[in-house]
Amino acid sequence: MTMKKLALIVAAALSFSAAADWSVNSAQSSLNFVSVKNDVVAETHSFKDLTGKLTEAGEFSVAIPALSIDTAIPIRNERILEHVLAAKQYATINAKGKVDSKVLTGLKTGDSVVVDQALDLTLLTQTQSLMAKVKVTKVSDSQLVVTTVAPIMLDVNKFQLNAGVEKLRELAGLKAISPMVPTTFSLVLVK
């Protein structure tokens, strides 16, 4: 093989890897939400499994398997899956949107930028457009970290989950469960 051919192969490989999509590293990523019961007791819960990608064009999608919910109480997990998330019918919660490509191309290693990011969140049959203030940090040429700067306030009523939350409240013998759910995430994306 000539040096010229070798150089072309290396250049093609480098340009291909530079244009590759980013994938969510599930083991290093997290999605947390807070429930407030009886107006004074707040508890943090999470989803343990996230998958997703971010294309070089800035299109992103994240899938959250409902069964990966972790409230630290197994019976509560089961009740949320059955009555709120209807996990047998709707196994995945989805978020998608588009990042301004200038945000991605302008970042140098070690740089961070805070942006207001629009996203569409789908729970069961309802999709709501939300805004999230996120910080994007380019850790290296092969790693990005995207974190919420402030919680996203999800209103369960807008997703028509209020009947399920009411059933949950009744089963747990609570006076109230807040319909507002502060949600945060930290996504590690790798090439």
Side-chain angles (χ1 to χ4, degrees), residues 1-13:
M1 179 178 293
T2 68
M3 288 302 283
K4 186 175 180 179
K5 284 184 182 177
L6 181 59
L8 286 172
I9 291 170
V10 169

Side-chain angles (χ1 to χ4, degrees), residues 9-60:
I9 291 170
V10 169
L14 289 174
S15 66
F16 178 75
S17 67
D21 291 345
W22 298 87
S23 297
V24 172
N25 180 324
S26 185
Q28 294 182 334
S29 299
S30 62
L31 173 66
N32 299 297
F33 65 99
V34 176
S35 66
V36 179
K37 59 187 182 185
N38 294 336
D39 300 325
V40 294
V41 179
E43 297 175 299
T44 302
H45 315 293
S46 64
F47 285 91
K48 296 294 184 186
D49 190 18
L50 309 167
T51 59
K53 69 178 181 175
L54 170 66
T55 69
E56 287 298 318
E59 295 174 355
F60 67 85

Side-chain angles (χ1 to χ4, degrees), residues 5 20 42 47 63-64 68 79 104:
K5 284 184 182 177
F47 285 91
I64 306 130
S68 72
R79 289 174 174 173
L104 299 176

Side-chain angles (χ1 to χ4, degrees), residues 21-24 51-64 93-101 103-104 115-122 128-134 136 144 146 148 152 185 187 189:
D21 291 345
W22 298 87
S23 297
V24 172
T51 59
K53 69 178 181 175
L54 170 66
T55 69
E56 287 298 318
E59 295 174 355
F60 67 85
S61 61
V62 176
I64 306 130
I93 299 164
N94 293 291
K96 65 179 182 173
K98 184 166 174 64
V99 177
D100 183 346
S101 60
V103 171
L104 299 176
V115 296
D116 291 318
Q117 178 61 54
L119 61 92
D120 292 329
L121 181 66
T122 302
Q128 293 290 317
S129 294
L130 305 167
M131 288 301 292
K133 186 172 284 295
V134 298
V136 181
L144 290 175
V146 182
T148 46
I152 302 166
F185 60 80
L187 301 176
L189 297 115

